[in-house]
């Protein structure tokens, strides 16, 4: 296992990322395209994406922007409700715990994952870890 870690270079890491992304389900792949488009626009020196501690408010703003492009998916895919879950009056499940929608939750997870990958690459190029 130790030898593998030493041989795990940047090229291998990128190949692993591509492979993992290829395993996403169709809806997640569609969301990923919006996330990657947004991250491409934010990939510059001084971007909040590369701040030491990216601002939660900024991340929420990005999630909302992506949601506006992908919100049609919300009606195409409905989460399966557990027996003890309730649907609130606005049609969202209570397990979303105050979030606007399950779709925004998923967008946020995919966005943070993509930001993590790009931050690693960005800091590695600049000699920071």
């Amino acid at each position: 296992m130790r030898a593998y870690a030493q041989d795990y270079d940047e090229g291998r890491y990128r190949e692993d990322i591509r492979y993992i992304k290829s395993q996403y389900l169709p809806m997640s792949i569609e969301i990923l395209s919006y996330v990657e488009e947004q991250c491409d626009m934010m990939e510059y020196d001084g971007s909040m994406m590369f701040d030491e501690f990216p601002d939660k408010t900024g991340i929420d703003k990005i999630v909302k922007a992506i949601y506006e492009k992908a919100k049609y998916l919300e009606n195409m895919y409905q989460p399966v409700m557990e027996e003890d879950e309730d649907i609130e009056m606005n049609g969202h499940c209570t397990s979303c715990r105050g979030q606007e929608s399950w779709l925004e939750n998923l967008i946020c997870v995919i966005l943070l994952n993509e930001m993590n990958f790009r931050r690693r690459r960005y800091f590695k190029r600049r000699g920071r870890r």
Side-chain angles (χ1 to χ4, degrees):
M1 177 99 108
R2 178 172 276 170
Y4 177 76
Q6 291 171 346
D7 294 335
Y8 195 81
D9 64 2
E10 191 64 24
R12 177 62 196 251
Y13 178 71
R14 274 186 255 172
E15 287 300 315
D16 281 354
I17 293 294
R18 272 188 227 125
Y19 173 76
I20 295 298
K21 286 179 180 181
S22 77
Q23 301 302 305
Y24 281 15
L25 298 174
M27 180 187 59
S28 298
I29 290 171
E30 197 160 346
I31 292 168
L32 178 63
S33 70
Y34 295 122
V35 167
E36 288 176 334
E37 178 184 315
Q38 187 69 39
C39 286
D40 287 346
M41 292 187 292
M42 297 177 359
E43 200 161 2
Y44 59 87
D45 287 335
S47 169
M48 68 80 70
M49 181 163 60
F50 303 123
D51 287 348
E52 185 175 359
F53 300 104
D55 179 41
K56 174 76 170 126
T57 304
I59 291 170
D60 288 345
K61 202 170 161 184
I62 297 164
V63 168
K64 294 279 187 205
I66 295 167
Y67 174 78
E68 285 304 312
K69 294 177 183 179
K71 65 184 174 184
Y72 65 91
L73 293 169
E74 199 154 35
N75 293 326
M76 292 173 65
Y77 300 92
Q78 293 297 320
V80 176
M81 303 303 294
E82 297 294 329
E83 285 181 28
D84 62 343
E85 287 181 316
D86 233 349
I87 298 283
E88 294 178 0
M89 295 301 280
N90 62 4
H92 299 301
C93 64
T94 55
S95 66
C96 292
R97 293 184 175 81
Q99 293 296 316
E100 294 263 340
S101 73
W102 63 268
L103 181 57
E104 283 184 69
N105 287 336
L106 182 57
I107 290 169
C108 187
V109 169
I110 293 172
L111 172 65
L112 292 172
N113 186 54
E114 184 66 18
M115 284 177 62
N116 184 47
F117 167 67
R118 291 177 187 230
R119 286 169 58 87
R120 182 182 188 277
R121 183 177 64 195
Y122 177 85
F123 294 131
K124 187 163 181 109
R125 277 191 227 143
R126 279 152 186 75
R128 291 174 41 194
R129 288 187 184 233

